[in-house]
Amino acid sequence: MRHLSVNLVAACLVCALCALPAAAQSSAPEFHGPIPDSPAIEHQIDGMIAKMTLQEKLDLIGGEDSMFIRAVPSIGFPRLKMSDGPEGVRTWGPDTAYAGGIALAASWDPALAHEMGVSIGDDARARGVNFLLGPGVNIYRAAMGGRNFEYFGEDPYLSGQIAAHYILGVQSQGVIATVKHFDANNEEFNRHNLSADMDERTLREIYLPAFEAAVKQGHVGAVMDSYNLVNGVHSTENKHLNIDILRNDWHFHGIVMSDWDATYSAVGAANGGLDLEMPSGQFMNPQNLTPAVQSGQVSVATIDQKVRRIFRDAIRFGFLSNSNQDQIDPSIAKYSQLGRKVALQEALESITLLKNDGHLLPLDLNKVHTIAILGPDAWPAEPGGGGSSHVDAYAPVSFMTGLSDAFAGKVKVLYARGLPTEEEMFEQTEFYNVSGQPDENPWTGNEVKIESFDNPNFQGTPHVFHVSHILAYPGADRPAPAQHSIRYAAQYQPATTGDYLFLVHADGGDAYKLIVNGRTVIVQPSREGQGPLYAEVPLTAGQLASVQLDYWTHSVVPHISLGIRAVSDLVTPEAKKIAALADAAVVAVGYDPSEESEGFDRTYVLPFGQDQLIEAVAHANPHTIVTITAGGNVDMHRWLADVPVLLHNWYPGQEGGRALAQILSGEHDPEGHLPISLARSWEQNPVHDSYYPAPPTPEQMAKESYSEGVYLGYDYYKPSFTPHVFYKEGVFLGYRYYTTNDIQPLFPFGFGLSYTTFSFSHLAVAPSADNSATNPAYTVSFDVTNTGSREGADVAQLYVGDPSAKVKRPMKELKGFDKVRLAPGATKHVTLALDRRSFAYWSDAKNNWQVDPGRFVVYVGDSSEHTPLTQDLQVP
Ligand code: BGC
């Protein structure tokens, strides 16, 4: 019998979900949880290991069938099942699609994170899952990071608190959580090969604390090593990370598993702290490791330790006291009502109001009779981004259907997508033959010339084909050699003078280069998967434009498409009409799973046509509300001043449409606060010059016999050099940079508007009972008052500054927060604790956390830029 090991009731006090009537919570699951480690467990494991052969041990440390730890039949050890994670149990069919991690962080509600964990653990038990592959806690550096939407934003403390509570929730249901991706998986650009390089202080202060909280506070059962290298060493063989820090400093006793195909050696990984290679033992297998053990390169004790960690987790979570089938709880409904409620609450708490000129929101439904909703993200629902986290929900609610259903009978909701789809762009583009004038050479349907070369450098005699559109390589029936180059050439005749949008989308990580009228306008180096890219090019009516698309592909069935359209024709006439006739217009812009995903980085500018759509709608309707679906910032400079209302809805999960309706109508007060800083531009972000690795130098290219084609199109899984990114900004990331340098971002970290107003007063800082010279510990208390006329929630944030430190430190660092929900006129007295670590920085010289005595400053407020209460503190 397994029992809850955390005090769930205490953890839930501030979560609005718990205010639901008992009937609404009736499907709340029974609680189970890990039993503490003990000498008896270690003794039991000794007995199990003693009965195993070396072959059995080496088999065990490589997974099987994509998502399983192998059984060891001779000792009755069952096969264990895994599932992604982190936004729902996705691997085994449809399920609850919870909000993205970044949305959960925007709720600033650890109790809600715990509820999500409980609910997801429940979903896992309904499907017999032993390990959930989540949460993901990598830090947000730049908007383009393809997996930001899964993670918890730019601040290590906020990320750590959300992660720890999520983990406690999952594990309370007898399911092992797996915190990932250890470490510094802060971009998807070339993720198998990129080395994230930084000094030790930056690593310890920014990129490790969320993992540390997962281990020390969340007691996570498993850690997943990332694809990338850290300081030149792959994570799966990085002794400093896996052994010095995780095991020795943090005393982590659970399993270290690899990300899927993130293991790059047998002995290196075995000695580098990796316990389990997933999805299979490609390197850590009997064939490679038996000789290594025999020759003494890898000790039997090292192998036994890995086996021990797998067994320890399994015993602590009760997997050995039941047959594996018992992990499935047949009494749990697969279509979870608890999941629906948690997902709705997440969307309600995370949608962040950033601008509300003239108090347009909440909408006055006595005056608003017609709402137009437009944009690619209005329908269908986009609960989450792409990749391994993507969950197919049973019944996701889009913004369009959510608004229409919620307002039925009161407000008419009109809908238009407003923009062509990618396919329409591609299919509706007509070209002219490169080898003749249109009048001499009437349209034949074969206007694009394709030259296909069997090498990556456009050398030799090509195969030549003609097709009507640049839609794909001709004839999947003609397998092409891998690593070949293809040149498409055509002419395009613009009907009017103006800017034209050229949209290109290649599948499968292929590289390409688009050249228009002799000028290169898009260069896409080879990436692991990628979204479409576009360029705007001015063309003159009637003058043929030469179009050349150079394409390097890995695939036998290469696939690339190009579409062209006048920018003035992008927004459909229908969209402009319904925007003009409605009393308010909602434009739902942003990304979808093909555009923002694991495996590649996204664009900073919104996908094609969306800026123009916002501009057109804002021009037609003064009551324009923009809502953004994205894992972070986007370029808003073209239209922000022209729209009165801006919401960031992140990836809101399956109930996003219901939540948006409640927020627009005022049924729910918006309460999301930014877990990231929104820079004014990509250039303003301190990461700007140290995000993309430098391309190989001519010397490197010469040394490696590279041509441009080889560099752009070469196999990204096996490059012959490692691109390095040095994190130049150090610890001055996000608001740590803006506050220290007195730079105003567009919207600061921690910021979010409400329909009501709050004030802060009565700050008091006092030593705690355990305060001493070696252990500075203080309590910070203050009042938060709802000074408006309706109920609402604010996020009280506590920052600490250390102006007298011997090293330069950020002006403000988040060290505590509390989500405060208040009736109008009500006040809450908030008390937060500061411990030694709240004052400490990582000293490279001492290789330890260091507190320099002297002056500290305590700041309290509701964003990193708005801290109305401050007090100096002398730490002896
Ligand atoms: C992802 C992991 C995921 C794993 C299993 C990998 O591609 O990076 O986050 O858990 O696949 O699906």
Side-chain angles (χ1 to χ4, degrees), residues 67 84 90 147 180-181 224 227 259-260 388 598:
M67 285 281 162
D84 284 304
R90 75 111 195 167
R147 299 186 85 166
K180 65 191 188 183
H181 306 88
M224 186 191 292
Y227 286 114
D259 199 342
W260 271 229
S388 60
E598 171 184 342

Side-chain angles (χ1 to χ4, degrees), residues 68-123:
F68 291 88
I69 296 183
R70 291 159 189 264
V72 189
S74 65
I75 54 166
F77 184 78
R79 179 165 134 122
L80 302 176
K81 184 175 180 178
M82 303 184 173
S83 172
D84 284 304
E87 336 291 16
V89 177
R90 75 111 195 167
T91 318
W92 310 98
D95 204 335
T96 312
Y98 298 89
I102 191 84
L104 185 61
S107 78
W108 290 66
D109 190 344
L112 180 61
H114 190 280
E115 291 294 337
M116 174 176 171
V118 169
S119 189
I120 219 171
D122 195 32
D123 295 337

Side-chain angles (χ1 to χ4, degrees), residues 616-639:
V617 174
H619 181 72
N621 192 316
H623 300 147
T624 293
I625 298 155
V626 172
T627 190
I628 301 172
T629 298
N633 202 4
V634 302
D635 186 349
M636 311 181 198
H637 82 274
R638 285 176 57 156
W639 44 261

Side-chain angles (χ1 to χ4, degrees), residues 390-668:
H390 190 78
V391 177
D392 285 327
Y394 286 105
V397 184
S398 72
F399 293 143
M400 186 272 279
T401 55
L403 259 53
S404 183
D405 290 348
F407 299 154
K410 288 174 267 178
V411 177
K412 198 196 299 180
V413 175
L414 304 176
Y415 163 69
R417 189 176 193 278
L419 291 171
T421 61
E422 263 186 45
E423 287 66 32
E424 285 163 354
M425 289 282 293
F426 299 146
E427 282 161 9
Q428 292 168 2
T429 302
E430 286 188 358
F431 295 97
Y432 286 86
N433 199 315
V434 274
S435 51
Q437 294 304 311
D439 46 352
E440 292 167 8
N441 187 14
W443 192 80
T444 62
N446 285 305
E447 312 301 355
V448 179
K449 182 177 170 198
I450 302 183
E451 295 171 293
S452 173
F453 300 82
D454 64 0
N455 61 77
N457 300 316
F458 302 97
Q459 282 168 356
T461 310
H463 288 286
V464 179
F465 311 93
H466 288 88
V467 291
S468 60
H469 293 75
I470 301 180
L471 264 178
Y473 183 75
D477 54 320
R478 276 179 248 218
Q483 297 295 343
H484 66 302
S485 51
I486 301 170
R487 175 162 288 155
Y488 295 80
Q491 296 187 107
Y492 179 78
Q493 188 174 48
T496 54
T497 297
D499 286 341
Y500 281 71
L501 192 131
F502 287 69
L503 182 75
V504 188
H505 197 170
D507 283 352
D510 293 339
Y512 57 84
K513 195 160 109 172
L514 178 67
I515 300 152
V516 179
N517 285 336
R519 192 166 68 88
T520 300
V521 294
I522 303 179
V523 179
Q524 167 74 78
S526 177
R527 310 259 167 94
E528 182 189 352
Q530 59 216 4
L533 292 184
Y534 65 87
E536 286 180 29
V537 182
L539 299 180
T540 308
Q543 280 184 21
L544 286 177
S546 73
V547 178
Q548 181 182 317
L549 184 60
D550 287 354
Y551 175 46
W552 294 268
T553 179
H554 310 93
S555 159
V556 251
V557 188
H559 205 286
I560 191 163
S561 308
L562 167 82
I564 308 171
R565 187 177 286 223
V567 166
S568 57
D569 285 349
L570 281 170
V571 178
T572 63
E574 181 198 12
K576 292 179 189 164
K577 277 188 202 143
I578 69 165
L581 68 83
D583 301 313
V586 179
V587 198
V589 294
Y591 302 81
D592 68 24
S594 74
E595 294 158 335
E596 182 160 26
S597 170
E598 171 184 342
F600 61 93
D601 273 0
R602 71 155 163 88
T603 55
Y604 183 62
V605 289
L606 283 168
F608 78 95
Q610 299 192 9
D611 285 335
Q612 288 87 354
L613 179 66
I614 297 171
E615 286 165 349
V617 174
H619 181 72
N621 192 316
H623 300 147
T624 293
I625 298 155
V626 172
T627 190
I628 301 172
T629 298
N633 202 4
V634 302
D635 186 349
M636 311 181 198
H637 82 274
R638 285 176 57 156
W639 44 261
L640 185 59
D642 301 327
V643 302
V645 177
L646 176 66
L647 293 156
H648 205 312
N649 61 253
W650 317 104
Y651 283 92
Q654 63 177 36
E655 308 294 331
R658 290 169 67 201
L660 186 68
Q662 290 191 31
I663 284 172
L664 295 185
S665 68
E667 186 182 335
H668 191 92

Side-chain angles (χ1 to χ4, degrees), residues 14-16 104-114 158 162 165 345 349 671 817 819 821:
V14 296
C15 172
L104 185 61
S107 78
W108 290 66
D109 190 344
L112 180 61
H114 190 280
L158 174 62
I162 298 290
H165 285 78
Q345 189 64 26
E349 289 199 38
E671 56 183 89
F817 62 89
K819 180 143 191 185
R821 188 168 278 110

Side-chain angles (χ1 to χ4, degrees), residues 11 126 325 343 384 428 493 590 822 865:
Q325 285 306 306
Q428 292 168 2
Q493 188 174 48
L822 290 170
E865 293 287 327

Side-chain angles (χ1 to χ4, degrees), residues 107 118 141 168 175 184 229 252 287 304 323 359 389 405 410 437 457 472 494 507-508 590 596 628 719 734 816 821 838:
S107 78
V118 169
R141 287 183 81 223
L168 288 169
V175 175
L229 303 87
F252 174 64
Q287 200 189 353
D304 284 356
S323 79
H359 298 288
S389 69
D405 290 348
K410 288 174 267 178
Q437 294 304 311
N457 300 316
D507 283 352
E596 182 160 26
I628 301 172
R821 188 168 278 110
S838 313

